[in-house]
Amino acid sequence: MSVLVVAEHVRGELRPVTLELISAAKSLGGPVEVAVIAKEPSAFTDAVNVEGVDEILAVSVDQDEFENDVHQSVVEQLISERSPRVVLLGFTVNAMGYGPALAARLGTGFASDVIAVREEGGELVAERSFYGAKVNGEVDFPGHDRVVLLLRPTTWPPAEGAGSATVTAASVAARASRARHQGWVEVQAGDVDITTADFLLSVGRGIGDKENLEQFQELADAMGATLSSSRPLVDAGWMPTARQVGQSGKTVKPKVYLALGISGAVQHLAGMKTSGTIIAVNTDPEAAIFNVAHYGAVADLFEVAEELEKLY
Ligand SMILES: Cc1cc2nc3c(=O)[nH]c(=O)nc-3n(C[C@H](O)[C@H](O)[C@H](O)COP(=O)(O)OP(=O)(O)OC[C@H]3O[C@@H](n4cnc5c(N)ncnc54)[C@H](O)[C@@H]3O)c2cc1C
């Protein structure tokens, strides 16, 4: 199946989701085209020239940063010129801004937050979650010869290996726009980006009390980990929103995810189950977190924390 991937970049950096989209595109057989829409597309063409990419469409636009309307109009024109069977975007804030509008305008099939995709008898089948991630279901697109999919980040491995794609300068006139990027607001001091941490120590309601948080912050510091949490701690105002892992929080994929007193609700698992090594501590042997954990201890988290404190 011919696939058009739209590269994502922010502040001059290619977003990792782009290489994940390319992996998914390759699995559909190809040919794979990657659109790089940027003021200076050449800044990203080497990074997306990985194995399996057949052609890179370098589209130069006036805007320094991502703009919904610019992306929508450029991708719309690329689709009409290139006629891909499938268009892959990240399930990201940027692509959520224009992907659904693009699909509606072109009357294509559409699915968001897709976690698996395959070709079956010449038709596309996508898998996504429903009912707050309680159920996974398959979606097909009868009557649609083109489908736009938003793929969940960190679900596919990043594509790698040197590629030999041709780079084509695509001349596409972007539609004039209304909203404009004004600037970046830096994360407030004290907040961290848990999505880039290699080691997350994540605490849940099992820690019992707000007063106990300090102990785990100190433990995380001593272990070289970043402290994150499940949602109830954020809802209670104990932890900042930026530290919440899960469906309505951040999707993380650290090398190590140490979960203390987290039950493993589907909404939590949705944000961390692809972590490299998951270690869970819970007094309840039936806790769902053990279904995704590589290592688990049915134990009191405070006792485990005490032992860890002795080690660090
Ligand atoms: C639309 C929607 C979106 C949501 N989004 C998110 C989200 O993004 N992230 C998220 O986390 N949740 C989310 N939730 C909430 C989710 O359903 C759960 O309620 C939540 O994840 C539970 O958090 P928890 O595991 O910390 O608490 P609990 O489910 O209360 O689990 C606490 C665990 O601690 C264990 N425990 C207690 N004491 C100890 C001890 N001393 N030692 C060891 N273990 C102990 C218990 O056995 C229990 O398993 C969402 C819900 C909805 C409906």
Side-chain angles (χ1 to χ4, degrees):
M1 278 187 181
S2 57
V3 185
L4 174 67
V5 167
V6 182
E8 252 199 49
H9 56 89
V10 68
R11 302 172 98 171
E13 299 278 335
L14 187 77
R15 284 199 149 163
V17 69
T18 306
L19 297 177
E20 297 163 19
L21 296 175
I22 293 171
S23 274
K26 281 162 65 178
S27 75
L28 291 171
V32 178
E33 293 175 339
V34 178
V36 177
I37 305 164
K39 193 162 194 174
E40 302 282 353
S42 59
F44 306 102
T45 46
D46 282 351
V48 300
N49 197 348
V50 291
E51 213 179 305
V53 176
D54 296 286
E55 190 171 358
I56 297 167
L57 307 172
V59 183
S60 180
V61 292
D62 290 339
Q63 292 70 24
D64 287 316
E65 293 293 345
F66 168 82
E67 304 285 2
N68 273 322
D69 45 3
V70 172
H71 262 61
Q72 187 185 328
S73 74
V74 170
V75 177
E76 212 176 290
Q77 292 172 66
L78 289 177
I79 291 172
S80 82
E81 282 169 21
R82 300 279 169 158
S83 286
R85 175 84 173 78
V86 186
V87 180
L88 296 183
L89 316 177
F91 184 53
T92 62
V93 171
N94 285 6
M96 276 188 255
Y98 74 96
L102 179 75
R105 197 171 153 100
L106 300 180
T108 70
F110 177 80
S112 63
D113 199 13
V114 170
I115 51 175
V117 65
R118 66 174 193 278
E119 187 197 332
E120 200 174 276
E123 294 302 318
L124 189 73
V125 181
E127 186 178 332
R128 74 182 309 282
S129 308
F130 294 91
Y131 303 113
K134 285 195 167 54
V135 178
N136 284 353
E138 289 189 340
V139 191
D140 57 9
F141 309 91
H144 289 291
D145 53 10
R146 182 162 299 123
V147 178
V148 174
L149 298 178
L150 270 52
L151 306 191
R152 185 186 292 177
T154 77
T155 308
W156 279 262
E160 46 188 22
S164 53
T166 40
V167 181
T168 308
S171 96
V172 175
R175 259 196 311 274
S177 46
R178 292 181 292 188
R180 278 292 155 259
H181 173 91
Q182 294 295 306
W184 295 99
V185 178
E186 298 301 335
V187 175
Q188 286 171 5
D191 281 359
V192 290
D193 182 1
I194 60 171
T195 63
T196 58
D198 278 343
F199 180 8
L200 286 176
L201 189 163
S202 209
V203 288
R205 197 142 49 184
I207 67 158
D209 218 308
K210 185 180 182 187
E211 276 59 53
N212 296 329
L213 261 182
E214 200 182 327
Q215 176 187 352
F216 295 99
Q217 181 61 67
E218 282 170 11
L219 180 60
D221 292 344
M223 295 173 82
T226 300
L227 190 69
S228 56
S229 81
S230 63
R231 178 167 159 171
L233 279 65
V234 173
D235 288 348
W238 301 358
M239 289 285 282
T241 315
R243 304 262 184 152
Q244 182 187 322
V245 174
Q247 183 194 319
S248 53
K250 299 268 170 64
T251 301
V252 297
K253 197 180 180 180
K255 288 185 180 143
V256 178
Y257 190 84
L258 171 57
L260 301 181
I262 294 178
S263 59
V266 279
Q267 296 89 354
H268 188 82
L269 301 186
M272 47 63 71
K273 66 183 173 197
T274 60
S275 300
T277 300
I278 300 170
I279 308 164
V281 178
N282 199 303
T283 43
D284 176 5
E286 301 296 322
I289 191 85
F290 291 129
N291 297 336
V292 298
H294 301 95
Y295 300 95
V298 178
D300 183 300
L301 67 90
F302 293 99
E303 287 175 15
V304 172
E306 209 172 289
E307 292 304 315
L308 288 171
E309 280 156 14
K310 286 182 200 160
L311 291 175
Y312 290 93

